[in-house]
Amino acid sequence: MSIFILKRLLTAIPTLLILIVISFILMHSAPGGPFTSERALPPQVEANINAKYGLDKPLHEQIYIYVKSIVLDFDFGPSFRYKDRSVNDLISDGFPVTLTYGSISALVAVLFGVTLGVIAALNHNTWKDYTALSFTFTAQVLPNFVMAPLLVLLFTLYLGWLPGGGWEGGKPQYIIMPVIALSTSYMATIARITRSSMLEVMNSNFIRTAKAKGLPYPRIVFKHALKPALLPVLSYMGPAMVGLITGSVVIDMYFSTGGIGVLFVNGALNRDYSTIMGITILVGTLTVLLNLLVDILYAWIDPKIRY
Amino acid sequence: MIVNQKKMQDLADNMLNAEEVQGRSLWADAAGRFMHNKAAVGGVITLLLIVIFTLVGPAFAQWSNEEIDWTVIGQVKTLGAPSIENGHYFGTDDLGRDLYSRVIQGTTISLMVGIIGSLVAVIVGTLYGAIAGYVGGRVDNVMMRLVDIFMSIPYMFVLILLLVIFGRSINMLFVGIGLVSWFDMSRIVRGQTLSIKNKEFIEAAIAAGVSNFTIIMRHIVPNLIGIVIVYASLLVPGFILTESFISFLGLGVQEPLTSWGALISEGAKTLQYGTLWQIGFPLFFFVITLFSMFFIGDGLRDALDPKDR
Amino acid sequence: MKAFQKTLAATLVSSAVLIVGCSSDEEATTQTTAAPEEKSGPVHPVTGETLAADQTFTYWALDEHSSLDPQIMEDTAGSDHARQLFEGLLNQDEDGNLVPGVAESYTTNEDKTIYTFNLREDAKWSNGDPVTAGDFVYAWRRAVNPETASPYSWYMEIMNIKNGAEIIAGEAPVDSLGVEAVDDYTFQVELTQSLPYFPMMVNHSTVFPVHPATVEEHGSDWTKPENMVSNGAYKLTEHVVNERVEMERNEMYWNNDDTIIEKVVTIVVPDENQGLIRWKAGEFDRGPVPSGQFKSLKEEFGDQAVSAPRLCNYYYTFNLSESGPEAFQDVRVRKALAYALDRSVITENILQAGQENAYTFTPSKTAGFVMPEVDWAGWTQEERDAKAKELLAEAGYGEDNPLQFDLLYNTSEGHKQIATAMSQMWKSKLGVEATLNNMEWKTFLTERGEQNFELARGAWCGDYNEASTFLDLVRSGSGYNDGKYNNAEVDSLMEAAKTSANPNEQYTAVEQQLAEDMPIIPIYFYTTNFMLDDSVKGWPYNNIEQNWYVRNLYKVAE
């Protein structure tokens, strides 16, 4: 197993390099640059700016310099959009925010989602099943960008219970609404995947055998059925976790939380090359790591799995 | 040895033939079970009604989807409410355009987006994931790292480049949706395949010398159907909403054409101002369509589950 | 100014929003600011009004500023901060007139090429250092220094400062710039040629002073709250990117005694509707008016909904270059399209916030600008429509040969509504088929800048209050002349205006030429719209550039 992990970590290096090169080329080929503005800059001014940020060099050289400064100094360069900040600053300020509300949301989504899904599956085609189903259906068609304004209208304007946004270093009253808005649709998805795979597992031969052997029902469910039923949830959670902890634009925008979601979108719209790259690398790294984690958990859930 | 191999081949062929014969009754079985699932049948009927509405509805419209009602514009709050009299059955949008016609036209586009997105997700995602999971080893590693890369690339720039290179057209919208729709599916499928390929019946097929391709197509994929269908139905709302992002960049649907995503977002902006019909009607169609798809998805899953008898 | 791209990010999010059954009973929600702990405090020294105990001014911002460094910043969000944190040579009063800032007075030589500013001796930086002429010299040199790479360095060029252009081009040393500290409190500027509106240009953030020692010590980190030294009425205390900026009273400010507001808080919420909800909930003193909502907010909140004219125009430009369509080379076609637009529908029925119909390029409220006589401005809409039909028919377009073209705009709800209305007006009146194309901001700018368009949206906000900031854009050499309009007459008029005793003559002639050639279709002139809580007093409603200073505001007790 440790050899497998080591190998996978090693493959992360070429993976990230390819990611950097492709993203770099894509970004620079898209029309407009960080300094394209309503009024075209005089050529001399533009040349000065390009020289300052190293944009006057050929693309391959820029990539080389970029990668080198990351490897040697862990320096992701200055931001083109937020000119008072380096990308290191921006990410180290924004990522903890996103990570906080993202991981709380993930926890909430998994706990409630799995519970709902299991209840629905064990009571297949009864009222409990239908209640759980309709709840998840509704949650599914009410994505976070709907939840967010609704929550603010309700809790801030009508009830006056919670502040309408901000982060303030992560005080609880600022976290509640982002977590609700973010976790709902993930929770619904998890519930429905759990329900479906739980149904499948409960109908499989080994559970029938277990039932026939007269094992107590709770033990069948929790000891034997739940683990294999969580396999697809796990596959889903890999990419979903990346989505959750690398931030949601909607949350950052509606609740002005200042996480890296809004940073990335603003970066992309403003062609803030260095910020886009910084966050892309962060996302890429997390994707690789979380998928590795998922693969390790697969082997734990189903010991027969070999890579 | 040679004889043995030939024997095994025959045996395998027989098994396959036998399965084909049995397969037909499986399908009939599944159809029967599906028809017994009231919720699923209800979903199919609702979807059909929506499709019929988009075909027949325009005949009753008094306004086109682009005409501005100059008597209403500027006073939408009071004059733009749903009314039989002035022919705006669903009311008007903020510009005084007929929502009835716009919802019908938007439905057509969004349904197409949903269907194409899920088709690509199901076909490409399933095959890709099943191959990676079944073949395993280095192939799996390379294929999955590729997906990692695809998922991390700033997608917006891909879309913008598509726009710049190919120009705008509705087909590019579908290309844009298709490009991203299958990543998540391929992960889930691969995960399931890893577990399925250790099952006895696969080992038996391998022992019988059945080719890898045949094993994937005949043994792996059918066992994935449950999760694939349910997951595909979960992805549909995402596709429909992704469309409005693609259109935002300029690649997709352009005014005066519209879509559910566009209509709902316009409606949601005016939520606090009291013109609730602007969100109500498009949202209603969006919601009942998705509900229908969920029910159909669950019905199909139950019906096709080979063990659920 | 990047004023118009700010809605982009917001549109992005709301481009896919939906909601289930939410009853929004507006009557029930009227709940204005009233922090419960708010008690009556002292009285205002001049008006005698009772002041609120809590003198914190909180305002909404759509987008994060790009920088707090005066020489680097380029957006309105940034200059709103800069006016609180820094003070330039001259300020504006509530009507937009120039009043002393760090400079108590200024004199010029006879041909107006040398300006001498006499600085006040009591001006101090927030660390107690005196503000000297040397600080201005340092800042102005910094603005043109190629190493600073200021995106607004061109502003120094159009100020006609001696050697400005040469330094930016790297052809002259930085210290050759025509600025000099005659002594600690005398700052002198030398111009290449006189510029009638030069004094108006010195209250722009690009020419604000910076504290040299701080900049040298911290480099690009000097704008962080822990490092920044500033000379305005407020000093920076907190800055969280994309969330908030906080400032507190600067005790060292020379006129600190007159400052009433203790604390300024800016909250970034990149969605207007969300910003409005939070204003209604009392979280902000100043909030947004989402597009098209002014009228109903006015009904609900009365004078708290503010609309004031603003120095910005909104127009569409024809592509007159070779890549543009054949049809647009015909002035009759251009005129027909411009005439047939019923601007009142756009301003009164779509925008609904007191915007003004535009028939010229320069906004009517620009200082010293007398609205020129342009024929079609005086006609009724029926007359214009009739003329438009006639012209288009003359040009050879009709039912059997309809005029067709593409219309390009950047993605935004507001632009979309106007473009849609325009295309419908042309369709119903003239049978013209305009295809709408939207693109995200940077793609849009690039396509427009490379003349990959037929008819494209444009807008411009004045950098200073004088017609040349607008009309400069129709010069053939202007960086913003994306339609490639080229008229030698206009170019020479603009050149003559620079030294003219009464430049308005030239401006009138240019506008008349524009009405003759119709290279652009003027649509409307902007208004500034916002919600301002009625406890906030002292707002400069009549300042057309909306240069507001928090130190002039105060909050009265409810």
Side-chain angles (χ1 to χ4, degrees), chain A residues 32-33 36 38-39 48 81 83-84 89 141 145-146 152 158 164 167-168 253 256 265 269-271, chain C residues 5 13 16 18 29 64 66-68 74 168 223-224 243-244 268 274 278 283 440-442 446 472 480:
Chain A
T36 312
E38 188 99 41
R39 178 189 192 123
N48 289 340
R81 164 70 179 77
K83 290 182 183 142
D84 301 346
D89 278 349
V141 295
F145 45 78
V146 174
V152 175
Y158 298 151
W167 185 247
E168 301 261 343
M253 289 191 145
S256 51
V265 169
L269 290 175
N270 289 295
R271 309 290 191 271
Chain C
Q5 84 195 74
V13 158
L18 52 109
T29 69
E64 171 84 14
S66 68
S67 173
L68 286 177
E74 51 180 324
I168 293 170
T223 51
K224 290 187 176 170
E243 192 200 335
R244 63 171 60 231
V268 180
Q274 202 72 0
R278 290 174 65 182
E283 290 189 18
E440 66 80 50
W441 178 244
K442 294 267 177 172
T446 310
D472 185 55
Y480 196 47

Side-chain angles (χ1 to χ4, degrees), chain C residues 401-448:
Chain C
N401 179 25
L403 175 63
Q404 291 173 324
F405 58 87
D406 283 347
L407 178 156
L408 181 70
Y409 62 98
N410 60 301
T411 316
S412 131
E413 190 65 30
H415 302 330
K416 184 182 83 183
Q417 291 193 345
I418 292 172
T420 308
M422 283 167 50
S423 72
Q424 286 298 311
M425 287 177 196
W426 286 328
K427 189 172 187 175
S428 60
K429 290 178 186 172
L430 306 175
V432 167
E433 288 166 26
T435 309
L436 270 55
N437 281 336
N438 72 288
M439 284 179 182
E440 66 80 50
W441 178 244
K442 294 267 177 172
T443 315
F444 164 81
L445 284 181
T446 310
E447 295 286 294
R448 195 181 67 185

Side-chain angles (χ1 to χ4, degrees), chain A:
Chain A
M1 199 66 193
S2 50
I3 292 178
F4 163 74
I5 295 175
L6 194 70
K7 262 190 184 167
R8 278 286 290 273
L9 287 177
L10 284 178
T11 53
I13 295 169
T15 308
L16 289 177
L17 272 178
I18 296 173
L19 175 65
I20 291 176
V21 172
I22 296 181
S23 307
F24 222 92
I25 295 172
L26 270 178
M27 240 169 29
H28 284 264
S29 337
F35 308 108
T36 312
S37 62
E38 188 99 41
R39 178 189 192 123
L41 289 172
Q44 270 309 330
V45 177
E46 198 174 352
N48 289 340
I49 297 178
N50 284 341
K52 179 176 173 184
Y53 289 103
L55 294 174
D56 51 345
K57 300 192 174 66
L59 199 57
H60 59 88
E61 211 169 303
Q62 289 185 41
I63 299 180
Y64 173 72
I65 295 172
Y66 182 75
V67 173
K68 202 173 88 180
S69 75
I70 292 178
V71 174
L72 295 182
D73 305 324
F74 202 67
D75 178 4
F76 291 81
S79 162
F80 297 90
R81 164 70 179 77
Y82 307 101
K83 290 182 183 142
D84 301 346
R85 294 283 192 274
S86 68
V87 174
N88 294 47
D89 278 349
L90 289 173
I91 292 183
S92 59
D93 284 351
F95 187 52
V97 173
T98 317
L99 187 66
T100 308
Y101 72 68
S103 30
I104 297 177
S105 302
L107 206 67
V108 169
V110 171
L111 280 182
F112 286 88
V114 169
T115 313
L116 262 180
V118 170
I119 292 175
L122 295 184
N123 301 285
H124 191 32
N125 287 340
T126 66
W127 67 269
K128 283 184 193 163
D129 186 17
Y130 293 132
T131 316
L133 266 185
S134 6
F135 176 76
T136 55
F137 283 4
T138 316
Q140 190 83 44
V141 295
L142 260 186
N144 48 15
F145 45 78
V146 174
M147 295 293 292
L150 265 185
L151 288 169
V152 175
L153 266 179
L154 184 66
F155 289 112
T156 306
L157 187 57
Y158 298 151
L159 299 174
W161 291 353
L162 293 170
W167 185 247
E168 301 261 343
K171 291 187 193 130
Q173 67 267 37
Y174 292 92
I175 300 185
I176 296 174
M177 288 201 288
V179 166
I180 299 178
L182 188 55
S183 59
T184 320
S185 72
Y186 285 99
M187 180 181 72
T189 306
I190 293 173
R192 300 203 49 222
I193 296 180
T194 310
R195 174 181 177 272
S196 161
S197 72
M198 192 74 186
L199 280 176
E200 222 159 285
V201 173
M202 290 305 284
N203 280 318
S204 65
N205 290 332
F206 77 97
I207 295 291
R208 286 174 196 212
T209 317
K211 277 186 191 162
K213 276 207 261 176
L215 290 179
Y217 192 64
R219 193 169 154 191
I220 295 177
V221 172
F222 291 106
K223 192 99 204 267
H224 299 284
L226 193 55
K227 230 166 95 173
L230 285 181
L231 207 67
V233 176
L234 204 57
S235 311
Y236 169 74
M237 279 314 286
M241 273 302 280
V242 179
L244 275 163
I245 61 181
T246 54
S248 153
V249 202
V250 179
I251 300 299
D252 286 342
M253 289 191 145
Y254 281 115
F255 299 112
S256 51
T257 34
I260 58 173
V262 71
L263 206 59
F264 183 71
V265 169
N266 277 347
L269 290 175
N270 289 295
R271 309 290 191 271
D272 183 352
Y273 295 145
S274 46
T275 306
I276 304 168
M277 281 312 297
I279 298 180
T280 301
I281 293 172
L282 177 72
V283 172
T285 314
L286 286 169
T287 309
V288 170
L289 288 182
L290 282 166
N291 283 326
L292 172 59
L293 185 70
V294 166
D295 279 351
I296 297 171
L297 288 175
Y298 275 158
W300 173 70
I301 283 181
D302 185 347
K304 282 172 93 180
I305 287 181
R306 294 272 175 279
Y307 298 103

Side-chain angles (χ1 to χ4, degrees), chain C residues 463-478:
Chain C
D463 282 307
Y464 48 90
N465 191 0
E466 214 270 349
S468 63
T469 189
F470 292 97
L471 291 175
D472 185 55
L473 306 186
V474 294
R475 273 194 311 112
S476 57
S478 161

Side-chain angles (χ1 to χ4, degrees), chain C residues 311-328:
Chain C
L311 269 195
C312 302
N313 60 11
Y314 188 102
Y315 60 90
Y316 269 80
T317 176
F318 293 104
N319 182 357
L320 298 175
S321 74
E322 280 170 16
S323 62
E326 186 78 30
F328 289 166

Side-chain angles (χ1 to χ4, degrees), chain B residues 139-153:
Chain B
V139 175
D140 174 41
N141 202 355
V142 170
M143 285 176 86
M144 283 301 119
R145 292 304 74 73
L146 273 179
V147 173
D148 286 352
I149 293 174
F150 291 149
M151 289 177 92
S152 311
I153 283 176

